[in-house]
PDB file of all heavy atoms in Angstrom:
ATOM      1  N   GLN A 860      -3.045   0.804   8.061  1.00 98.00           N
ATOM      2  CA  GLN A 860      -1.814   1.543   7.798  1.00 98.00           C
ATOM      3  C   GLN A 860      -0.693   0.574   7.472  1.00 98.00           C
ATOM      4  O   GLN A 860      -0.388  -0.328   8.258  1.00 98.00           O
ATOM      5  CB  GLN A 860      -1.438   2.421   8.992  1.00 98.00           C
ATOM      6  CG  GLN A 860      -0.202   3.279   8.715  1.00 98.00           C
ATOM      7  CD  GLN A 860       0.067   4.294   9.813  1.00 98.00           C
ATOM      8  OE1 GLN A 860      -0.835   4.996  10.257  1.00 98.00           O
ATOM      9  NE2 GLN A 860       1.314   4.366  10.250  1.00 98.00           N
ATOM     10  N   ASN A 861      -0.082   0.778   6.318  1.00 98.00           N
ATOM     11  CA  ASN A 861       0.975  -0.120   5.857  1.00 98.00           C
ATOM     12  C   ASN A 861       2.268   0.111   6.634  1.00 98.00           C
ATOM     13  O   ASN A 861       2.779  -0.817   7.270  1.00 98.00           O
ATOM     14  CB  ASN A 861       1.201   0.090   4.364  1.00 98.00           C
ATOM     15  CG  ASN A 861       2.386  -0.673   3.844  1.00 98.00           C
ATOM     16  OD1 ASN A 861       2.475  -1.875   4.007  1.00 98.00           O
ATOM     17  ND2 ASN A 861       3.323   0.032   3.212  1.00 98.00           N
ATOM     18  N   ALA A 862       2.822   1.311   6.571  1.00 97.00           N
ATOM     19  CA  ALA A 862       4.068   1.613   7.277  1.00 97.00           C
ATOM     20  C   ALA A 862       3.830   1.484   8.775  1.00 97.00           C
ATOM     21  O   ALA A 862       2.821   1.935   9.304  1.00 97.00           O
ATOM     22  CB  ALA A 862       4.551   3.017   6.925  1.00 97.00           C
ATOM     23  N   GLY A 863       4.775   0.864   9.453  1.00 97.00           N
ATOM     24  CA  GLY A 863       4.579   0.533  10.856  1.00 97.00           C
ATOM     25  C   GLY A 863       4.115  -0.896  11.032  1.00 97.00           C
ATOM     26  O   GLY A 863       4.118  -1.419  12.143  1.00 97.00           O
ATOM     27  N   GLY A 864       3.672  -1.516   9.921  1.00 96.00           N
ATOM     28  CA  GLY A 864       3.378  -2.935   9.974  1.00 96.00           C
ATOM     29  C   GLY A 864       1.934  -3.319  10.132  1.00 96.00           C
ATOM     30  O   GLY A 864       1.520  -3.743  11.214  1.00 96.00           O
ATOM     31  N   SER A 865       1.111  -3.183   9.086  1.00 98.00           N
ATOM     32  CA  SER A 865      -0.262  -3.719   9.061  1.00 98.00           C
ATOM     33  C   SER A 865      -1.074  -3.269  10.283  1.00 98.00           C
ATOM     34  O   SER A 865      -1.604  -4.082  11.043  1.00 98.00           O
ATOM     35  CB  SER A 865      -0.240  -5.249   8.991  1.00 98.00           C
ATOM     36  OG  SER A 865       0.521  -5.719   7.915  1.00 98.00           O
ATOM     37  N   LEU A 866      -1.183  -1.975  10.460  1.00 98.00           N
ATOM     38  CA  LEU A 866      -1.860  -1.424  11.648  1.00 98.00           C
ATOM     39  C   LEU A 866      -3.352  -1.281  11.385  1.00 98.00           C
ATOM     40  O   LEU A 866      -3.784  -0.493  10.551  1.00 98.00           O
ATOM     41  CB  LEU A 866      -1.253  -0.069  12.012  1.00 98.00           C
ATOM     42  CG  LEU A 866       0.267  -0.072  12.223  1.00 98.00           C
ATOM     43  CD1 LEU A 866       0.756   1.322  12.588  1.00 98.00           C
ATOM     44  CD2 LEU A 866       0.678  -1.088  13.288  1.00 98.00           C
ATOM     45  N   THR A 867      -4.149  -2.056  12.112  1.00 98.00           N
ATOM     46  CA  THR A 867      -5.599  -2.079  11.949  1.00 98.00           C
ATOM     47  C   THR A 867      -6.275  -1.192  12.979  1.00 98.00           C
ATOM     48  O   THR A 867      -5.687  -0.889  14.023  1.00 98.00           O
ATOM     49  CB  THR A 867      -6.128  -3.516  12.088  1.00 98.00           C
ATOM     50  OG1 THR A 867      -5.782  -4.013  13.400  1.00 98.00           O
ATOM     51  CG2 THR A 867      -5.525  -4.432  11.033  1.00 98.00           C
ATOM     52  N   PRO A 868      -7.522  -0.766  12.737  1.00 98.00           N
ATOM     53  CA  PRO A 868      -8.240  -0.002  13.762  1.00 98.00           C
ATOM     54  C   PRO A 868      -8.461  -0.869  14.996  1.00 98.00           C
ATOM     55  O   PRO A 868      -8.745  -2.065  14.873  1.00 98.00           O
ATOM     56  CB  PRO A 868      -9.561   0.358  13.079  1.00 98.00           C
ATOM     57  CG  PRO A 868      -9.707  -0.613  11.957  1.00 98.00           C
ATOM     58  CD  PRO A 868      -8.323  -0.943  11.511  1.00 98.00           C
ATOM     59  N   PRO A 869      -8.335  -0.296  16.196  1.00 98.00           N
ATOM     60  CA  PRO A 869      -8.472  -1.107  17.412  1.00 98.00           C
ATOM     61  C   PRO A 869      -9.879  -1.645  17.621  1.00 98.00           C
ATOM     62  O   PRO A 869     -10.050  -2.744  18.162  1.00 98.00           O
ATOM     63  CB  PRO A 869      -8.058  -0.150  18.526  1.00 98.00           C
ATOM     64  CG  PRO A 869      -8.230   1.218  17.953  1.00 98.00           C
ATOM     65  CD  PRO A 869      -7.969   1.096  16.499  1.00 98.00           C
ATOM     66  N   THR A 870     -10.893  -0.876  17.221  1.00 98.00           N
ATOM     67  CA  THR A 870     -12.292  -1.276  17.349  1.00 98.00           C
ATOM     68  C   THR A 870     -13.076  -0.679  16.190  1.00 98.00           C
ATOM     69  O   THR A 870     -12.615   0.266  15.543  1.00 98.00           O
ATOM     70  CB  THR A 870     -12.919  -0.761  18.667  1.00 98.00           C
ATOM     71  OG1 THR A 870     -12.964   0.679  18.619  1.00 98.00           O
ATOM     72  CG2 THR A 870     -12.132  -1.209  19.893  1.00 98.00           C
ATOM     73  N   PRO A 871     -14.291  -1.189  15.924  1.00 97.00           N
ATOM     74  CA  PRO A 871     -15.134  -0.562  14.900  1.00 97.00           C
ATOM     75  C   PRO A 871     -15.477   0.890  15.217  1.00 97.00           C
ATOM     76  O   PRO A 871     -15.779   1.679  14.310  1.00 97.00           O
ATOM     77  CB  PRO A 871     -16.392  -1.437  14.891  1.00 97.00           C
ATOM     78  CG  PRO A 871     -15.947  -2.750  15.442  1.00 97.00           C
ATOM     79  CD  PRO A 871     -14.889  -2.429  16.451  1.00 97.00           C
ATOM     80  N   GLU A 872     -15.430   1.231  16.478  1.00 98.00           N
ATOM     81  CA  GLU A 872     -15.776   2.593  16.882  1.00 98.00           C
ATOM     82  C   GLU A 872     -14.709   3.620  16.509  1.00 98.00           C
ATOM     83  O   GLU A 872     -14.980   4.826  16.519  1.00 98.00           O
ATOM     84  CB  GLU A 872     -16.020   2.644  18.397  1.00 98.00           C
ATOM     85  CG  GLU A 872     -17.285   1.966  18.861  1.00 98.00           C
ATOM     86  CD  GLU A 872     -17.210   0.443  18.825  1.00 98.00           C
ATOM     87  OE1 GLU A 872     -16.081  -0.098  18.931  1.00 98.00           O
ATOM     88  OE2 GLU A 872     -18.277  -0.212  18.688  1.00 98.00           O
ATOM     89  N   TYR A 873     -13.494   3.151  16.185  1.00 98.00           N
ATOM     90  CA  TYR A 873     -12.419   4.089  15.885  1.00 98.00           C
ATOM     91  C   TYR A 873     -12.745   4.947  14.668  1.00 98.00           C
ATOM     92  O   TYR A 873     -12.800   6.184  14.750  1.00 98.00           O
ATOM     93  CB  TYR A 873     -11.097   3.354  15.683  1.00 98.00           C
ATOM     94  CG  TYR A 873      -9.990   4.248  15.170  1.00 98.00           C
ATOM     95  CD1 TYR A 873      -9.380   5.176  16.014  1.00 98.00           C
ATOM     96  CD2 TYR A 873      -9.555   4.179  13.851  1.00 98.00           C
ATOM     97  CE1 TYR A 873      -8.368   6.008  15.554  1.00 98.00           C
ATOM     98  CE2 TYR A 873      -8.549   5.001  13.373  1.00 98.00           C
ATOM     99  CZ  TYR A 873      -7.952   5.919  14.223  1.00 98.00           C
ATOM    100  OH  TYR A 873      -6.966   6.747  13.759  1.00 98.00           O
ATOM    101  N   PHE A 874     -12.978   4.320  13.522  1.00 98.00           N
ATOM    102  CA  PHE A 874     -13.256   5.107  12.321  1.00 98.00           C
ATOM    103  C   PHE A 874     -14.614   5.790  12.392  1.00 98.00           C
ATOM    104  O   PHE A 874     -14.800   6.873  11.813  1.00 98.00           O
ATOM    105  CB  PHE A 874     -13.139   4.260  11.068  1.00 98.00           C
ATOM    106  CG  PHE A 874     -11.721   4.154  10.555  1.00 98.00           C
ATOM    107  CD1 PHE A 874     -11.086   2.925  10.479  1.00 98.00           C
ATOM    108  CD2 PHE A 874     -11.022   5.286  10.161  1.00 98.00           C
ATOM    109  CE1 PHE A 874      -9.776   2.834  10.014  1.00 98.00           C
ATOM    110  CE2 PHE A 874      -9.717   5.207   9.705  1.00 98.00           C
ATOM    111  CZ  PHE A 874      -9.090   3.974   9.634  1.00 98.00           C
ATOM    112  N   ALA A 875     -15.562   5.189  13.103  1.00 98.00           N
ATOM    113  CA  ALA A 875     -16.842   5.876  13.318  1.00 98.00           C
ATOM    114  C   ALA A 875     -16.609   7.172  14.086  1.00 98.00           C
ATOM    115  O   ALA A 875     -17.211   8.215  13.785  1.00 98.00           O
ATOM    116  CB  ALA A 875     -17.804   4.968  14.074  1.00 98.00           C
ATOM    117  N   GLY A 876     -15.700   7.116  15.054  1.00 98.00           N
ATOM    118  CA  GLY A 876     -15.375   8.318  15.825  1.00 98.00           C
ATOM    119  C   GLY A 876     -14.626   9.342  15.013  1.00 98.00           C
ATOM    120  O   GLY A 876     -14.853  10.561  15.141  1.00 98.00           O
ATOM    121  N   VAL A 877     -13.707   8.902  14.160  1.00 98.00           N
ATOM    122  CA  VAL A 877     -12.987   9.820  13.274  1.00 98.00           C
ATOM    123  C   VAL A 877     -13.975  10.533  12.357  1.00 98.00           C
ATOM    124  O   VAL A 877     -13.916  11.760  12.170  1.00 98.00           O
ATOM    125  CB  VAL A 877     -11.923   9.062  12.460  1.00 98.00           C
ATOM    126  CG1 VAL A 877     -11.332   9.967  11.377  1.00 98.00           C
ATOM    127  CG2 VAL A 877     -10.815   8.534  13.369  1.00 98.00           C
TER     128      VAL A 877
END
Side-chain angles (χ1 to χ4, degrees):
Q860 184 172 313
N861 173 55
S865 306
L866 305 180
T867 60
T870 66
E872 289 74 27
Y873 172 74
F874 275 118
V877 171

